[in-house]
Amino acid sequence: MPAAWAGAVLLLLLLAGCSPLRLLEPKQKLLSRVRLEGVKQADAERIAALYQQQPNTSFPLPKLAIYQLGRTFYDEPRLQAKRTRIQQEFAARMQAARPDSVQVGRLLVRREKRTSRLQRTLDKGNAIMRIGEAPVIYDSALTRQTVEQIGIFLKSKGFFRSRVTATDTVADRGFSLRRLLGGPDTTLTRRVLVTYRVTENEPFRYAQLDYAIPDSAIARRVMASQPASLLRVGEQYDEEAIGTERSRLENLLKNEGYYDFRQQYVTLEADTSFAPATVRLRTIIANPGPGERHYQYTIRHVQFVADAGVTRFEQARDTLVQDSVYYLAYQHRISPKTLDRKLTVRPGDTYSLTSTQLTQRQLSNLDVFRFNTVNYFRVRTAPAGPDTTRRQLDAVISASPAKKFQETSEAGATYVAELAGPFVNERIKIRNVFGGAETLEFGVRAGFEGQSTSTQVEGVVTTTSVYTTQIGANANLVLPQFLMPWRANRYLTRFDPRTRINAAYTYVIRPEYTRTNLEATYDYIWQRSAFHQYVLTPIDLSVVNTPYLNPIYEDSLKALERRGSPLIRSFARQLVPSFNVTSLYNSNDFNQTRNARYLRLFAEVGGLTKGLYQSYLKDKLGLNVYNFTKLNADYRRYYKVAAKSFVVYRLNGGFVSALTTSTVEVVDPITRVTTYQQRYVIPYDKYVFAGGSSSVRAWKPRRLGPGSYASTKTVGGETVQNFDLEQPGDILLEGSLEYRFPLYSFINGALFTDFGNVWALHEDPRPGAQFEVGKFYRQFAVGSGIGLRFDFTFLILRLDVATKIYDPTALGNKFVVSQFGFSDNKTAFNIGIGYPF
């Protein structure tokens, strides 16, 4: 027993030796915790963001402990001595290299490269310390600043009678080794708890909204826009909303032609003496000066310089006129008629900031200019006519042409099934192909990829690795207008209409089969706003052909079909005609750094006209045609909780079904008698799937579900789950919750949980696969994991490691987290480009 006590005491002493308080200097204290009390109506999160000092982060990683670990390997005197030694060494080498200035320059570069790394380590610590956080030393002056900032914030939100106080006390509720041993407590007295106490009192609200606008023309426009005002009688006073209202008024008047108007002319005065807890707010829009007024501007001339930045000596630009706009270029490579459709800045129109920004955005979307600007110049001559309130502007649009040809090459390799698979991609983009700002892109790709194949003979499963050869090509033509038999583009200018024609061909060779897929689409694309896009595809054709199918593999596909898997249909010769529409709203950016929303709605209907040509295609060409409908909704929400930390969730649902039954040939495996049955059949590629790097990440791609159905195989006489087969479904429900946070430099981390599954809509031979209202929620698969994101700004590489928590298809206990392991069937490793959602 004494030995056990001695071991426990030794352990406690070791833990005490690891205390972060060892990092403090004498009389320094560690900020342990910050607490906020009394906030009932104000935004507590906004107040917390005002803290001048925050305790060290402990979630999701104990940053102070990591810093302390790195500090044990940090030897500052040794680093300083090494820096001095390097400087002396290079000084001697540079002295010996003189007078060769080139060699001296190279030595200087090498010296700076080596010493800069050492200096960074001296300034910020070693790599482990930089992952962690240095201890936050409590500073009472910063606490007083925080009290002032919170008071200012509360008053900006209408809490004019609020009070804020702060107390700093010893955090004495933690563990104390000395207190446990009966000695004086000197450890916890060096940890500080700061408490901010807020007394809000009643917030002030708007009792009256007045306007003082000496310019009658301005007054009429402002009063007419009252329904769009951000300020309402009875609402709480808010300086942030007042600032936004000033911006709204500025944009309103700029869009009404007041080119010189600035936000500085707008003042909002608050009078709190009107009545208790009320504010009388007066909006004052001043004139530019005594005896002056605001002027509206109309556009007199518009010039478009299509080759800005190009200089040719002793040669003037040629000028063409299209709809009263002057187009200038040394050589008119882009049709002025095409450019004219993208201009919303027109001669004779009233100046508008929105039209200016829209013109710039639409010219950028053409992808034939490197940049473009719209500049305005005041016309100095007196305005003609009796209206002296208007003045004129000349607009000059300058656009610098981009390179006509752009080539992108990519080469790499995959490692799958213990085989290295090289691949190459080559893309060529040609701008302004036919002189109408069209872009034509060609792409070819070829590669090898390893895949595992399994064969079962007399209960023995043999797995081998084989190469799959994939060769493909595609052509994509984008036109900056709608191709349609009537002239509608003039009325659609503000929606940036485009037509996209795409064709692609894929050729796949495997030992079991050879498969080709020819696709063609015709799309209309337009923008409702900067964040909202529509895509209408009236023509979507796909022709699938399988020139070779190994008889043994075909028999296995038929066996799978009898067990409910429709995989064999992906090898049937078929024509898939459809039309679809997509609505995409995305307020985020490429690197997902905003508090944003994402919503994608998709609807597709195929094979409606199959009755007109199905018999001919089936009899003459052997092509099957199926009708179907497919719906999908994908919603994502991005919450920004800190500078580089986000909480993100996703909800995704889909549905697909045949519209009518089709005749299916069924062969009895024993009697070999062929019968024909009516079944709901859809093309295999139109099914919904779950699992993979952008779905439920603990499962392999397309391997989850359906429902509670468990696909099995026999290995060594034992029945085990078979995760090698894709599991298509008719209904998809899935979701994800992810916390993203910074780790070190360009490396970010993630903690996530995914859930979801697919189900069969109609009667299905797979037990447990059918969707049932009373039990589907108990069939959600759940997986959790961690991830790393390498953010290179222009490219984001992602590594996710996910393990299964709850598996509705498990043969035994459904909670499989206790069986954690790193095998393929327990934990999945996902590598990808970009965020999963």
Side-chain angles (χ1 to χ4, degrees):
M1 190 68 176
W5 276 105
V9 171
L10 179 61
L11 178 60
L12 291 174
L13 291 174
L14 289 173
L15 290 174
C18 295
S19 170
L21 300 179
R22 298 179 58 200
L23 302 174
L24 303 182
E25 299 292 336
K27 298 184 179 181
Q28 288 184 337
K29 296 182 180 181
L30 180 71
L31 180 60
S32 177
R33 185 182 173 194
V34 177
R35 190 164 56 192
L36 180 65
E37 296 180 352
V39 176
K40 298 178 181 179
Q41 302 179 66
D43 190 336
E45 291 185 4
R46 295 281 298 276
I47 293 176
L50 299 173
Y51 297 162
Q52 301 299 302
Q53 276 192 308
Q54 294 274 13
N56 290 106
T57 305
S58 58
F59 178 83
L61 295 174
K63 294 294 186 72
L64 183 55
I66 295 174
Y67 179 88
Q68 188 177 2
L69 174 64
R71 187 62 182 260
T72 60
F73 306 104
Y74 182 72
D75 188 346
E76 185 174 357
R78 184 181 64 83
L79 293 171
Q80 290 176 341
K82 184 177 180 180
R83 182 185 60 181
T84 303
R85 187 174 65 253
I86 291 174
Q87 290 175 339
Q88 292 174 349
E89 175 188 343
F90 274 91
R93 295 176 63 181
M94 286 188 290
Q95 183 66 31
R98 291 177 178 174
D100 189 344
S101 60
V102 175
Q103 183 64 19
V104 171
R106 291 173 180 171
L107 290 171
L108 274 171
V109 172
R110 292 177 59 187
R111 186 190 69 179
E112 290 303 314
K113 187 175 181 181
R114 293 184 61 181
T115 57
S116 62
R117 289 197 297 262
L118 283 172
Q119 190 61 48
R120 183 176 62 175
T121 304
L122 285 168
D123 294 339
K124 300 181 179 181
N126 56 35
I128 299 177
M129 294 168 67
R130 293 197 295 271
I131 294 176
E133 291 178 355
V136 178
I137 309 302
Y138 174 66
D139 187 340
S140 59
L142 294 178
T143 300
R144 290 192 295 271
Q145 291 181 20
T146 301
V147 170
E148 295 176 3
Q149 292 295 321
I150 294 176
I152 294 172
F153 172 77
L154 290 173
K155 287 178 174 56
S156 74
K157 294 298 181 180
F159 297 95
F160 293 114
R161 297 175 182 172
S162 61
R163 293 191 304 275
V164 184
T165 60
T167 57
D168 48 2
T169 57
V170 174
D172 58 357
R173 295 185 178 181
F175 172 77
S176 171
L177 177 62
R178 289 180 175 84
R179 181 185 297 176
L180 179 66
L181 298 178
D185 187 357
T186 60
T187 302
L188 293 177
T189 57
R190 303 190 68 185
R191 295 179 182 268
V192 177
L193 165 64
V194 176
T195 302
Y196 296 103
R197 292 183 175 87
V198 174
T199 303
E200 295 175 332
N201 291 320
E202 184 181 358
F204 281 57
R205 299 182 181 276
Y206 302 120
Q208 186 174 330
L209 300 175
D210 298 331
Y211 291 87
I213 308 174
D215 191 320
S216 59
I218 295 285
R220 285 195 301 271
R221 287 168 172 81
V222 171
M223 300 308 295
S225 71
Q226 270 297 93
S229 175
L230 303 177
L231 307 176
R232 298 281 190 276
V233 173
E235 291 185 351
Q236 186 172 323
Y237 177 88
D238 188 344
E239 288 185 5
E240 188 175 359
I242 289 175
T244 307
E245 175 70 4
R246 293 180 68 205
S247 298
R248 185 190 74 84
L249 292 175
E250 180 187 20
N251 290 334
L252 167 71
L253 294 174
K254 280 183 174 293
N255 288 329
E256 292 286 342
Y258 293 91
Y259 173 74
D260 289 324
F261 192 85
R262 298 293 181 266
Q263 193 176 133
Q264 288 77 5
Y265 295 127
V266 183
T267 305
L268 288 95
E269 294 182 349
D271 181 5
T272 58
S273 64
F274 183 64
T278 62
V279 176
R280 181 168 58 184
L281 193 68
R282 172 173 294 181
T283 301
I284 302 172
I285 301 181
N287 285 334
E292 298 182 10
R293 62 179 307 166
H294 296 285
Y295 293 97
Q296 275 186 299
Y297 284 82
T298 56
I299 299 174
R300 186 184 66 168
H301 299 308
V302 177
Q303 288 186 349
F304 192 118
V305 182
D307 51 6
V310 178
T311 302
R312 294 185 182 179
F313 296 103
E314 299 182 357
Q315 182 179 348
R317 286 186 170 91
D318 183 41
T319 302
L320 295 178
V321 180
Q322 177 74 36
D323 288 346
S324 302
V325 176
Y326 297 88
Y327 290 89
L328 285 72
Y330 291 111
Q331 184 176 355
H332 294 280
R333 301 183 184 277
I334 303 175
S335 169
K337 185 177 180 181
T338 298
L339 297 175
D340 194 70
R341 281 195 289 261
K342 299 301 177 182
L343 299 189
T344 54
V345 177
R346 316 294 306 182
D349 287 354
T350 300
Y351 165 79
S352 169
L353 177 63
T354 299
S355 295
T356 303
Q357 295 171 339
L358 180 59
T359 294
Q360 290 180 290
R361 185 169 67 246
Q362 294 195 149
L363 291 176
S364 297
N365 291 339
L366 285 177
D367 194 25
V368 293
F369 298 114
R370 289 192 297 119
F371 65 86
N372 71 87
T373 59
V374 181
N375 297 311
Y376 293 94
F377 301 92
R378 295 177 182 84
V379 179
R380 298 301 179 184
T381 57
D387 189 357
T388 59
T389 63
R390 286 184 174 267
R391 296 187 177 181
Q392 292 181 316
L393 296 170
D394 284 342
V396 178
I397 304 170
S398 302
S400 177
K403 293 181 179 179
K404 185 175 182 64
F405 297 95
Q406 178 179 327
E407 179 187 7
T408 304
S409 299
E410 181 182 7
T414 60
Y415 187 77
V416 181
E418 301 181 350
L419 292 176
F423 66 85
V424 293
N425 293 331
E426 181 73 19
R427 292 188 296 273
I428 298 177
K429 177 184 287 187
I430 308 174
R431 296 183 173 91
N432 196 34
V433 183
F434 308 115
E438 308 88 354
T439 58
L440 177 62
E441 187 171 358
F442 294 100
V444 293
R445 59 192 180 279
F448 300 92
E449 182 177 309
Q451 288 195 3
S452 297
T453 62
S454 300
T455 57
Q456 180 174 336
V457 180
E458 296 181 356
V460 178
V461 176
T462 303
T463 301
T464 58
S465 298
V466 298
Y467 271 116
T468 297
T469 304
Q470 296 187 12
I471 302 173
N474 71 285
N476 188 54
L477 176 64
V478 178
L479 309 173
Q481 59 184 343
F482 280 171
L483 284 185
M484 50 180 54
W486 59 90
R487 299 183 62 182
N489 289 283
R490 170 61 68 190
Y491 309 103
L492 299 172
T493 296
R494 290 184 174 271
F495 301 104
D496 191 21
R498 285 167 288 162
T499 302
R500 180 175 60 197
I501 305 171
N502 183 72
Y505 180 76
T506 305
Y507 185 75
V508 179
I509 304 175
R510 285 190 51 159
E512 301 93 342
Y513 60 83
T514 300
R515 187 174 184 265
T516 66
N517 188 6
L518 178 62
E519 298 178 272
T521 59
Y522 186 91
D523 306 314
Y524 291 123
I525 306 169
W526 69 98
Q527 298 280 149
R528 181 180 178 182
S529 67
F531 300 139
H532 197 175
Q533 181 184 84
Y534 289 105
V535 180
L536 173 64
T537 306
I539 301 175
D540 188 335
L541 293 176
S542 177
V543 179
V544 178
N545 188 26
T546 307
Y548 169 74
L549 186 61
N550 186 288
I552 298 177
Y553 185 64
E554 184 177 8
D555 290 340
S556 65
L557 292 175
K558 291 179 178 179
L560 291 174
E561 184 183 25
R562 291 190 292 271
R563 293 163 55 186
S565 173
L567 180 60
I568 193 172
R569 294 178 202 154
S570 66
F571 298 97
R573 299 189 66 189
Q574 56 187 299
L575 171 68
V576 185
S578 69
F579 66 89
N580 57 72
V581 62
T582 302
S583 170
L584 177 61
Y585 178 88
N586 184 13
S587 60
N588 218 329
D589 55 14
F590 172 77
N591 296 95
Q592 298 191 5
T593 60
R594 298 176 181 169
N595 196 320
R597 290 177 173 84
Y598 173 102
L599 177 61
R600 180 181 181 271
L601 302 176
F602 175 80
E604 182 178 20
V605 178
L608 286 181
T609 58
K610 74 170 188 176
L612 302 177
Y613 47 76
Q614 181 180 19
S615 298
Y616 175 83
L617 293 178
K618 182 68 174 177
D619 297 340
K620 301 295 184 180
L621 303 176
L623 288 174
N624 297 290
V625 183
Y626 306 113
N627 57 25
F628 65 93
T629 182
K630 186 175 184 178
L631 303 173
N632 177 251
D634 185 354
Y635 178 74
R636 308 168 190 179
R637 185 69 172 91
Y638 305 85
Y639 290 98
K640 191 171 186 177
V641 296
K644 294 184 178 180
S645 298
F646 299 84
V647 173
V648 185
Y649 71 84
R650 178 196 188 199
L651 298 174
N652 183 33
F655 162 84
V656 62
S657 176
L659 297 174
T660 59
T661 58
S662 299
T663 303
V664 178
E665 181 182 292
V666 179
V667 180
D668 188 279
I670 300 177
T671 63
R672 298 295 178 180
V673 175
T674 301
T675 58
Y676 295 91
Q677 301 178 4
Q678 295 295 317
R679 295 183 180 178
Y680 288 95
V681 180
I682 64 174
Y684 185 80
D685 292 337
K686 300 301 178 181
Y687 281 102
V688 293
F689 299 87
S693 62
S694 298
S695 180
V696 186
R697 283 164 276 188
W699 273 258
K700 295 179 180 179
R702 298 187 165 200
R703 264 55 175 187
L704 174 56
S708 60
Y709 168 72
S711 177
T712 60
K713 63 182 178 181
T714 303
V715 180
E718 181 182 359
T719 300
V720 297
Q721 278 188 269
N722 184 3
F723 295 98
D724 298 328
L725 296 177
E726 295 183 355
Q727 301 296 340
D730 304 318
I731 298 176
L732 167 68
L733 293 174
E734 64 180 3
S736 297
L737 177 64
E738 183 167 298
Y739 174 59
R740 300 170 182 172
F741 53 91
L743 278 178
Y744 171 70
S745 184
F746 63 91
I747 303 176
N748 300 321
L751 300 174
F752 58 84
T753 295
D754 306 320
F755 66 91
N757 209 332
V758 295
W759 292 266
L761 179 63
H762 305 287
E763 184 178 353
D764 195 285
R766 296 171 290 181
Q770 195 162 350
F771 182 86
E772 298 182 29
V773 176
K775 61 187 300 186
F776 79 93
Y777 58 90
R778 298 197 298 267
Q779 297 174 338
F780 280 116
V782 180
S784 296
I786 60 176
L788 293 175
R789 286 89 168 91
F790 301 89
D791 189 349
F792 300 106
T793 304
F794 62 92
L795 177 68
I796 297 173
L797 296 180
R798 169 170 51 92
L799 170 63
D800 289 333
V801 182
T803 190
K804 298 175 181 177
I805 304 297
Y806 181 81
D807 185 0
T809 67
L811 299 178
N813 186 7
K814 307 298 183 183
F815 287 94
V816 295
V817 65
S818 59
Q819 306 170 18
F820 173 78
F822 289 99
S823 65
D824 289 345
N825 298 332
K826 303 298 182 184
T827 301
F829 295 84
N830 297 288
I831 299 176
I833 297 177
Y835 288 100
F837 55 88

